[in-house]
Amino acid sequence: TKYLSFLMKPLFGLPGESAFAFFMAAISGYPMGARLTAELYEAGRLTRPQAVGTAILSSCCGPSFMVGAVAAGMLLSPSAGLIIACAHYLAMITIGIFYRPFLTLSPQPSRREPPKQKKQEHPSLTGIVMDSIASSAVALWSVGSYLIFFSALISIINSFGILSTLGNVLAPAFRLLGISPNLAPAILSGAIEMTGGCVDAASALAPLSSKVLACTFIITFGGLSVAGQSLFYLRKTG
């Protein structure tokens, strides 16, 4: 990570460690960036302002979801994946650059004291495998639980016709943006749960260009479900 400081410092004002979280999140998707940011902060490798900047920069969706699931699977247009992915990653980089001035204004520049290490012990292969399985199980449980909760929440909201009503209210604004009003319920749904919103956008009666715009917004915003998944890891960092 020290070799990436020359790139991270001028652009984002962040140390090289932040590059590791960003690139891993860009490959793996939500909520890997939040998980790695929390681990780096807990280990004393990042100050709190740097951890905030790293969490913002590494709030990325993975290419397998954008290109494979959304573009090829839902929109039936693999080439749309390149547009969605480029717009998404450029948005993350732009936000990271905009956050840089706040690093110098933050009143909390101190690093967290890393936990005291016990006598170094070489873990066994069995221990490494068991820890990896346990960690993966907790991650799958947390992500799946948030998906189920917010999907159920959308179903409840839909049963009252709230999304359709809000969609009709926002229809003029969507027309001004060049987006089909038929996508309004899908975008509102995606603001709560990303995957379901992309499914609704792909199945809506709208031009492909509008669907690509809607899916790009939904993926980059992430929705309340992704925010909850990120907070699951960031909650201990303050």
Side-chain angles (χ1 to χ4, degrees):
T1 56
K2 64 180 180 180
Y3 298 109
L4 293 172
S5 294
F6 78 95
L7 178 65
M8 300 300 290
K9 279 288 183 181
L11 282 177
F12 311 111
L14 296 172
E17 286 80 0
S18 299
F20 173 71
F22 172 69
F23 286 118
M24 289 300 297
I27 295 172
S28 304
Y30 303 117
M32 178 59 71
R35 178 177 181 176
L36 293 176
T37 299
E39 291 179 359
L40 289 170
Y41 177 72
E42 290 288 324
R45 306 294 295 273
L46 299 174
T47 65
R48 182 169 293 183
Q50 289 172 347
V52 174
T54 303
I56 292 172
L57 181 65
S58 60
S59 182
C60 295
C61 186
S64 60
F65 180 79
M66 291 186 284
V67 178
V70 176
M74 300 178 192
L75 298 175
L76 303 179
S77 175
S79 60
L82 181 62
I83 299 173
I84 296 173
C86 288
H88 175 69
Y89 292 131
L90 286 173
M92 296 300 101
I93 293 172
T94 303
I95 293 173
I97 293 173
F98 282 150
Y99 178 75
R100 181 183 175 183
F102 293 94
L103 288 169
T104 58
L105 297 175
S106 175
Q108 296 178 326
S110 60
R111 294 179 184 269
R112 179 185 177 90
E113 287 294 328
K116 293 183 178 180
Q117 298 289 335
K118 296 180 179 179
K119 185 179 179 180
Q120 186 69 27
E121 297 180 358
H122 297 287
S124 63
L125 179 61
T126 303
I128 294 174
V129 172
M130 293 181 66
D131 290 342
S132 299
I133 293 174
S135 177
S136 300
V138 171
L140 288 172
W141 168 80
S142 63
V143 171
S145 297
Y146 279 105
L147 288 175
I148 293 171
F149 173 79
F150 284 103
S151 296
L153 179 62
I154 292 174
S155 298
I156 295 172
I157 294 174
N158 276 328
S159 66
F160 289 97
I162 295 176
L163 292 182
S164 298
T165 302
L166 288 175
N168 293 331
V169 173
L170 296 174
F174 280 87
R175 290 192 183 94
L176 288 175
L177 295 172
I179 302 175
S180 172
N182 293 335
L183 288 165
I187 292 176
L188 293 172
S189 174
I192 299 174
E193 203 284 302
M194 178 181 67
T195 305
C198 289
V199 171
D200 294 342
S203 60
L205 294 175
L208 179 60
S209 58
S210 289
K211 292 181 180 181
V212 171
L213 284 173
C215 289
T216 302
F217 169 79
I218 292 169
I219 291 170
T220 304
F221 182 73
L224 297 179
S225 177
V226 168
Q229 296 169 34
S230 298
L231 289 174
F232 176 80
Y233 293 104
L234 295 173
R235 70 190 190 281
K236 294 181 180 180
T237 67

